[in-house]
Amino acid sequence: MSAITPDLIAEHGLSPDEYQTVLDILGREPNITELGVFSVMWSEHCSYKSSRIWLKTLPTEGPQVIQGPGENAGVVDIGDGQAVVFKIESHNHPSFIEPYQGAATGVGGIMRDVFTMGARPIANLNALRFGDPAHPKTRHLVGGVVAGIGGYGNCMGVPTVGGEVNFHPAYNGNCLVNAMTVGLATTDKIFYSKASGIGNPVVYVGSKTGRDGIHGATMASAEFSEEAEAKRPTVQVGDPFTEKLLLEACLELMATDAIVSIQDMGAAGLTSSSVEMADKGGVGIRLHLDRVPMREDGMTPYELMLSESQERMLMVLKPGREDEARGIFEKWELDFAVIGEITDTGLLELTWAGEPEASIPVAPLVEASPVYERPWVPTEPPDAPAIASPDGPIAPALRRLMGSPDMASRRWIWEQYDYYIRGETLQVPGGDAAVVRVPDSNKALAMSVDCTPRYCLADPERGGMQAVAECWRNLVATGARPLALTNNMNFGNPEKPAIMGQFVGAIQGMRAAALALEFPVVSGNVSLYNETDGAAILPTPVIGGVGLLSDSTKMMSLAFKGDGRAVIALGGDGSTDLSESLYAREILGSESGPAPAVDLAQERAAGELVLALIEGGLIDACHDVSDGGIAAALAEMALAGDVGWRADPALQSEGASFYFNEAQGRYLVATADPGPVLERAQQAGIAAIRLGETGGNALHFGPNDAISLESLRGTHEAWLPDYMAG
């Protein structure tokens, strides 16, 4: 038996005060297995001890919300007895250490969170951040992460339909891999993790337990150093073919009424799944650890409780249903073992070979989990002067921008994903939002992931607000009514007041936007300590949103549909400041100044106008304006439709500040009949500017200021394949 020393306590991530609480709960010194249980349950990754008080301020309710935060995933009603189930989650630290397995198991884990609720996954998305392309590790990370995401999702038969990728030196030592899954369930067959029924059997299903991933949750709750490679054993190893079998077996058993509760074994494995189920039900749970299916010899109770081996589930069954369940899982060639029972003791009791191994009161283990109101200082928004419009033609600057790392085509990435599998994908990667049909219906779901970290660094509150608003806009641009969001809060060390201030600011901005747009938060994930040798990532609060198209035949896309359409910019506040724009960074070499303002009332009004225009059939293309401003949005619409555009004569003297500013709340729409569109905009009090007309095979900004679509496409498509080819 290991002696519990101060060094061992520190290695388990517990502070002296936290360890004293452990002693108070137990009334004695813990053994090594009990220390391990407290360690992972009280890790930042599992307990949210630095973020919980702020997360509780987010709006989580609405008439459409069936289940908000607190379960494996959020559940939202989409009518006709159907629900959409979705969540986003990080696998940042593991992906930096071992990019293929880190990203693959991130995808596997988030899919289990969704099918644990009784939903069949129908789509995956991801949000990726990598370091400077010139950094020696970046290319290796990009290649491994993309291969891991594609490898797992493709093997599972779930299409990967959308995402985003950024490059910035702040991620050199800590890439971000955020994975989102969207699933479909029926509203009368939602499964929860609350255990009940004294004496009911506790069942383990899926893969055998090995030594991979031990201390994964603890590792994800600490900063990195140059010795990150030594943490490779803490990275889980995934098997998508086994997970596919697990998915089908779970859904088959869910079609019966045998399951009382079910929980994915994710972070902290058997510990968190058993403790959370017992705590939610107000019951005790007894586990006989020698009954756990093991794939390695000589495993200890400590290792079994902390392993994060993949493709495993824990469930409570109704008494007498074990043989029925066993038959299903054995048919799918999966392990099935009755490893415990629900008790009335209120304890987590562990036995090994018939002897007591651990005994911990469940309620105090959860309720006494530390909650810290970390000191924080607000981020002072920069008072740098606005960046004025430089002279010079638009076309050459646009070409440079469209071929830059942050704006270049992501085709090299998404062509490694099977985005058509299942046959329901209506909009593929590359548009504003992915759109996936709800099978056997006329409905479809739009989905998007969004964040602009450079805005969040300049002004976390505006950045958090903008991330929610941009996600909302991307859904609206397809004709979907936004339903709800999930978030992934990626930040540095919360023990530093400036970093904690970034987190608080982002939450405050997200709260304001979610309330104003009636876009509630139904699930999410927090990833802190994203630092290496004291250098933090950019604050990156990623928003994943889902919206509903009640009639998929009215779906809108960004592509110009033909010649002779008027192109109109709707919304925006008239700002021409280039501060924090991609143009300022890539063309002017400036990363300073204020983030763009977000007028939430105008966001809402512009979005409602666009939805009405789409519903009324008054426009035939729509695209939100974001990175790169109006010029980049025009370029993306023209490239998608292979149709050019010519500026209105009144705009042919406009410069960079008009075309490249990133003022928020704007859409570009194309229409064969601009009169009704302009009239509706005026009635709604929304700014409208007629930009020009579609036609030809080039973008014409003015006399001697044009670029052919062929030339622009070559530049836009070339950067990423050329970079990955070395």
Side-chain angles (χ1 to χ4, degrees):
M1 184 67 70
S2 302
I4 306 301
T5 65
D7 285 348
L8 189 65
I9 294 163
E11 281 175 26
H12 280 74
L14 293 170
S15 71
D17 285 347
E18 290 169 353
Y19 184 66
Q20 183 57 53
T21 305
V22 172
L23 297 177
D24 293 343
I25 289 171
L26 294 178
R28 56 177 170 80
E29 188 175 81
N31 62 32
I32 185 64
T33 302
E34 292 167 332
L35 183 69
V37 167
F38 277 99
S39 165
V40 291
M41 287 304 297
W42 290 4
S43 68
E44 191 75 59
H45 193 72
C46 292
S47 75
Y48 293 75
K49 57 190 173 187
S50 298
S51 57
R52 220 181 317 166
I53 60 169
W54 295 104
L55 295 174
K56 287 181 176 178
T57 67
L58 292 171
T60 59
E61 297 178 346
Q64 72 276 37
V65 177
I66 295 173
Q67 174 65 52
E71 269 292 344
N72 287 289
V75 185
V76 177
D77 197 324
I78 59 169
D80 306 310
Q82 294 176 304
V84 59
V85 180
F86 62 97
K87 187 183 179 184
I88 192 168
E89 199 161 73
S90 61
H91 231 219
N92 303 334
H93 287 51
S95 298
F96 184 77
I97 297 167
E98 178 29 72
Y100 184 94
Q101 289 295 349
T105 52
V107 172
I110 194 63
M111 280 198 275
R112 286 196 305 280
D113 280 341
V114 167
F115 73 75
T116 297
M117 302 292 294
R120 178 173 289 280
I122 61 164
N124 290 329
L125 301 92
N126 53 74
L128 312 177
R129 263 86 195 178
F130 299 105
D132 185 339
H135 189 274
K137 194 163 183 174
T138 300
R139 187 182 289 108
H140 163 71
L141 290 171
V142 173
V145 164
V146 170
I149 290 169
Y152 209 103
N154 295 352
C155 292
M156 281 289 292
V158 178
T160 300
V161 296
E164 59 173 359
V165 183
N166 288 149
F167 295 87
H168 192 280
Y171 304 103
N172 280 350
N174 203 127
C175 65
L176 300 185
V177 175
N178 295 174
M180 178 175 170
T181 293
V182 180
L184 281 173
T186 56
T187 53
D188 62 350
K189 276 282 188 179
I190 307 295
F191 288 81
Y192 299 97
S193 57
K194 177 181 176 181
S196 64
I198 306 307
N200 279 351
V202 176
V203 172
Y204 171 117
V205 299
S207 285
K208 288 179 168 62
T209 296
R211 290 191 171 94
D212 54 320
I214 293 173
H215 281 302
T218 313
M219 181 268 291
S221 305
E223 288 186 40
F224 271 168
S225 69
E226 290 180 356
E227 286 75 47
E229 292 293 326
K231 294 181 183 284
R232 191 177 297 270
T234 64
V235 178
Q236 308 91 333
V237 178
D239 178 355
F241 299 105
T242 299
E243 177 137 333
K244 172 63 172 171
L245 300 177
L246 183 62
L247 162 67
E248 299 301 340
C250 285
L251 292 180
E252 184 174 336
L253 185 59
M254 286 167 168
T256 74
D257 64 348
I259 297 174
V260 175
S261 62
I262 180 169
Q263 173 74 38
D264 157 46
M265 284 193 237
L270 192 51
T271 293
S272 63
S273 55
S274 58
V275 170
E276 288 172 13
M277 292 172 85
D279 179 64
K280 287 175 181 172
V283 295
I285 188 166
R286 184 181 298 117
L287 302 179
H288 309 287
L289 295 178
D290 48 320
R291 300 181 191 171
V292 172
M294 299 171 228
R295 70 164 182 260
E296 298 186 43
D297 294 333
M299 290 194 72
T300 65
Y302 175 92
E303 291 171 326
L304 291 167
M305 289 303 289
L306 270 59
S307 168
E308 294 183 9
S309 293
Q310 298 292 286
E311 295 93 33
R312 302 179 301 159
M313 293 278 190
L314 196 65
M315 55 179 74
V316 178
L317 297 181
K318 291 180 179 176
R321 307 298 290 271
E322 297 93 328
D323 288 346
E324 176 186 359
R326 185 190 304 277
I328 290 172
F329 282 89
E330 289 183 350
K331 181 186 79 172
W332 290 99
E333 300 180 348
L334 295 164
D335 276 284
F336 178 98
V338 179
I339 65 165
E341 57 276 341
I342 300 302
T343 71
D344 61 2
T345 64
L347 300 172
L348 170 67
E349 297 172 273
L350 308 177
T351 73
W352 181 252
E355 296 298 320
E357 173 64 28
S359 179
I360 302 173
V362 170
L365 173 60
V366 175
E367 290 161 16
S369 172
V371 178
Y372 293 124
E373 194 162 347
R374 302 275 191 201
W376 61 280
V377 294
T379 304
E380 288 295 328
D383 56 3
I387 298 177
S389 179
D391 295 328
I394 301 303
L398 176 62
R399 179 174 181 157
R400 276 184 62 188
L401 206 58
M402 294 296 286
S404 68
D406 268 11
M407 285 223 70
S409 168
R410 302 313 191 214
R411 184 183 301 276
W412 180 90
I413 293 175
W414 51 260
E415 285 191 341
Q416 297 183 53
Y417 305 150
D418 191 335
Y419 45 85
Y420 276 129
I421 198 166
R422 295 182 56 79
E424 305 290 359
T425 306
L426 301 179
Q427 275 205 47
V428 304
D432 284 301
V435 181
V436 177
R437 183 173 27 231
V438 175
D440 305 317
S441 81
N442 202 31
K443 297 183 295 192
L445 294 168
M447 50 202 78
S448 180
V449 287
D450 295 284
C451 183
T452 311
R454 64 183 184 278
Y455 296 169
C456 300
L457 183 66
D459 187 331
E461 187 167 356
R462 279 189 181 181
M465 202 180 291
Q466 187 273 343
V468 172
E470 186 181 347
C471 185
W472 195 83
R473 275 201 304 277
N474 278 323
L475 301 175
V476 164
T478 69
R481 167 67 60 182
L483 291 172
L485 67 89
T486 181
N487 58 40
N488 209 140
M489 307 293 289
N490 307 273
F491 289 80
N493 184 343
E495 297 167 48
K496 299 177 180 178
I499 299 291
M500 196 65 213
Q502 293 175 343
F503 183 91
V504 173
I507 288 282
Q508 291 171 334
M510 288 163 51
R511 170 182 161 79
L515 285 169
L517 301 174
E518 293 186 65
F519 198 29
V521 181
V522 295
S523 59
N525 174 244
V526 177
S527 176
L528 302 176
Y529 296 95
N530 288 289
E531 300 198 6
T532 298
D533 295 326
I537 61 163
L538 301 183
T540 312
V542 174
I543 302 298
V546 175
L548 177 66
L549 284 133
S550 54
D551 181 356
S552 61
T553 65
K554 294 186 176 181
M555 178 187 74
M556 190 56 54
S557 71
L558 58 78
F560 287 149
K561 304 301 187 294
D563 296 353
R565 268 70 163 185
V567 181
I568 299 168
L570 297 174
D573 59 6
S575 170
T576 56
D577 185 5
L578 290 166
S579 297
E580 289 299 338
S581 66
L582 266 188
Y583 176 90
R585 189 176 93 187
E586 297 293 334
I587 309 298
L588 305 179
S590 168
E591 282 194 71
S592 64
V598 181
D599 183 328
L600 292 168
Q602 284 289 296
E603 278 280 2
R604 181 73 184 262
E608 296 291 351
L609 170 63
V610 167
L611 286 173
L613 294 174
I614 294 171
E615 176 67 25
L618 297 175
I619 58 177
D620 66 5
C622 181
H623 188 21
D624 95 302
V625 179
S626 55
D627 283 351
I630 285 174
L634 285 166
E636 288 164 345
M637 297 175 85
L639 290 174
D642 203 26
V643 176
W645 164 89
R646 182 178 296 274
D648 192 87
L651 299 181
Q652 291 189 6
S653 61
E654 289 288 358
S657 61
F658 175 82
Y659 279 108
F660 295 112
N661 80 78
E662 294 176 11
Q664 297 296 297
R666 293 185 297 175
Y667 302 80
L668 300 192
V669 299
T671 175
D673 185 6
V677 175
L678 295 168
E679 184 180 339
R680 291 275 192 103
Q682 185 177 19
Q683 290 170 352
I686 298 298
I689 303 172
R690 185 163 175 162
L691 298 176
E693 189 171 285
T694 61
N697 57 8
L699 296 175
H700 291 270
F701 294 94
N704 305 313
D705 189 5
I707 184 170
S708 73
L709 296 188
E710 182 182 13
S711 172
L712 188 61
R713 190 184 310 279
T715 301
H716 184 53
E717 296 283 353
W719 182 82
L720 193 50
D722 288 353
Y723 172 69
M724 293 308 295

